Amino acid sequence: MSTQPLTRRAFALSAAALLAAPALHAQPAPRFARSLAAARGLEQLHSLCIAQGGQTVLAEAIRGPSPDRAVNVKSVSKTLVASLTGSVIGTGAIPGPDAGLGELAPGLIPNGADPRVAELTVADLLTMQAGLERTSGGNYGAWVSSRDWVADALARPMVGRPGNGMLYSTGSYHILGALLSEVTGDSLLTLARRHIGEPLGVRIDAWTRDPQGRYMGGNNMALSPRAMLAFGEAYRTGGAGPEGRLVPGEWVTASWTPRTRSAFSGDDYGYGWFLFTAAGTRVAYARGYGGQMIYVLPDHALTVAVTSDESQPARSEGHAGALKRLLTEVILPEAMA
């Protein structure tokens, strides 16, 4: 299967083929017709959903299942766990992002861990600036094969100074999920159903658990493309879903404040959201392996959800880059037309 980036020429040819097709009746092209045509030119892409001005204007399954069917959103799960962190802070169970692990959940810290581990803050985990050796990339397999994922992640050597640079690591979010369970007494699944599922009016199914029975923080959660769109819309509108509030409004602002930067994409990172600016337009996005994406463009009341083949990589110079061009060079111009 081809994973080459979609070029500007391919965008133009795809859109032209759709718009030049003979019509039985001289009807105007549907909204976002060029975007849909361009999306169809991306062989790795499964679905595209677009909302503007609070209305869903496109929900199309291109190669994958129905937009109403839940799929593995991979590391979009990190954005979901960041949202749960804001919800729990909103309840007062955590005083704020600067609270330390040793203060909140000392029982999670294994014997022999670097003394600085106790001083790691919620913010350090949210921004993946814990300084600990990564559990993602080449270290992922050994980490998920360990007997205790939390202890393994926390016992790793410090390879950076906490709070001083992003080291992308699913282990940081698994620690965070365990911390949320410790301070609330609820499983991450219960928290997800209460603070994401209920406000959005969507079902949250159980997902991967570690050897201790903790639900995985930062990977393998499942949402339908429509639910992904609804989650993005809730953030766009200040944290409120159709059935209730996900997070306090100030958490949205805090989440979309740049705090570090990805060494892979070069984009800024807040609390669970990547951030960049295109042609003066602010974009916040959640990103999962393979090309599972939620883009929010508050300046244009625009939210976009994309799902892709989760078995294929989506690097910034590959499929993920093609998705960014789809957003900035086709979807955004159509939204502004």
Side-chain angles (χ1 to χ4, degrees), residues 137-219:
N139 296 333
Y140 185 82
W143 175 58
V144 295
S145 297
S146 69
R147 295 182 178 181
D148 187 327
W149 297 359
V150 171
D152 182 275
L154 288 172
R156 287 177 178 253
M158 284 283 182
V159 295
R161 183 159 58 87
N164 189 39
M166 182 182 187
L167 293 169
Y168 189 94
S169 181
T170 298
S172 287
Y173 267 86
H174 189 59
I175 297 164
L176 182 58
L179 186 157
L180 296 180
S181 292
E182 288 288 309
V183 299
T184 63
D186 292 320
S187 72
L188 205 59
L189 173 61
T190 296
L191 293 172
R193 286 175 169 170
R194 180 182 304 146
H195 296 295
I196 296 175
E198 291 179 11
L200 295 182
V202 303
R203 174 174 172 165
I204 305 288
D205 289 323
W207 67 97
T208 306
R209 289 193 284 177
D210 71 8
Q212 284 64 48
R214 301 184 185 100
Y215 285 92
M216 190 176 203
N219 199 11

Side-chain angles (χ1 to χ4, degrees), residues 8-88:
R8 289 181 173 84
R9 175 176 170 78
F11 276 135
L13 290 176
S14 297
L18 179 70
L19 297 178
L24 295 177
H25 305 285
Q27 295 179 342
R31 289 204 64 201
F32 293 99
R34 288 187 62 245
S35 299
L36 180 57
R40 286 173 173 158
L42 289 170
E43 295 182 8
Q44 197 167 324
L45 188 145
H46 280 183
S47 71
L48 175 65
C49 296
I50 301 174
Q52 188 173 28
Q55 300 295 319
T56 300
V57 293
L58 180 70
E60 186 82 11
I62 295 171
R63 293 175 188 83
S66 161
D68 296 307
R69 179 177 166 185
V71 297
N72 189 339
V73 296
K74 306 301 284 186
S75 285
V76 170
S77 304
K78 293 178 174 64
T79 311
L80 301 177
V81 173
S83 181
L84 295 179
T85 304
S87 301
V88 172

Side-chain angles (χ1 to χ4, degrees), residues 141-316:
W143 175 58
V144 295
S145 297
S146 69
R147 295 182 178 181
D148 187 327
W149 297 359
V150 171
D152 182 275
L154 288 172
R156 287 177 178 253
M158 284 283 182
V159 295
R161 183 159 58 87
N164 189 39
M166 182 182 187
L167 293 169
Y168 189 94
S169 181
T170 298
S172 287
Y173 267 86
H174 189 59
I175 297 164
L176 182 58
L179 186 157
L180 296 180
S181 292
E182 288 288 309
V183 299
T184 63
D186 292 320
S187 72
L188 205 59
L189 173 61
T190 296
L191 293 172
R193 286 175 169 170
R194 180 182 304 146
H195 296 295
I196 296 175
E198 291 179 11
L200 295 182
V202 303
R203 174 174 172 165
I204 305 288
D205 289 323
W207 67 97
T208 306
R209 289 193 284 177
D210 71 8
Q212 284 64 48
R214 301 184 185 100
Y215 285 92
M216 190 176 203
N219 199 11
N220 290 344
M221 296 176 73
L223 288 178
S224 71
R226 286 189 186 272
M228 294 167 67
L229 194 71
F231 179 82
E233 277 286 277
Y235 263 73
R236 183 186 68 79
T237 55
E243 305 294 333
R245 180 162 288 279
L246 276 78
V247 292
E250 56 267 27
W251 187 253
V252 176
T253 301
S255 299
W256 290 353
T257 299
R259 299 174 189 280
T260 186
R261 178 170 292 183
S262 167
F264 301 109
S265 67
D267 290 337
D268 290 331
Y269 195 72
Y271 288 161
W273 292 87
F274 292 94
L275 308 161
F276 72 95
T277 301
T281 296
R282 297 175 299 145
V283 182
Y285 70 100
R287 175 176 177 174
Y289 184 88
Q292 326 311 321
M293 303 285 195
I294 303 172
Y295 298 102
V296 185
L297 292 76
D299 298 340
H300 299 284
L302 183 68
T303 301
V304 178
V306 176
T307 61
S308 304
D309 184 351
E310 66 176 75
S311 69
Q312 300 291 327
R315 297 182 177 89
S316 296

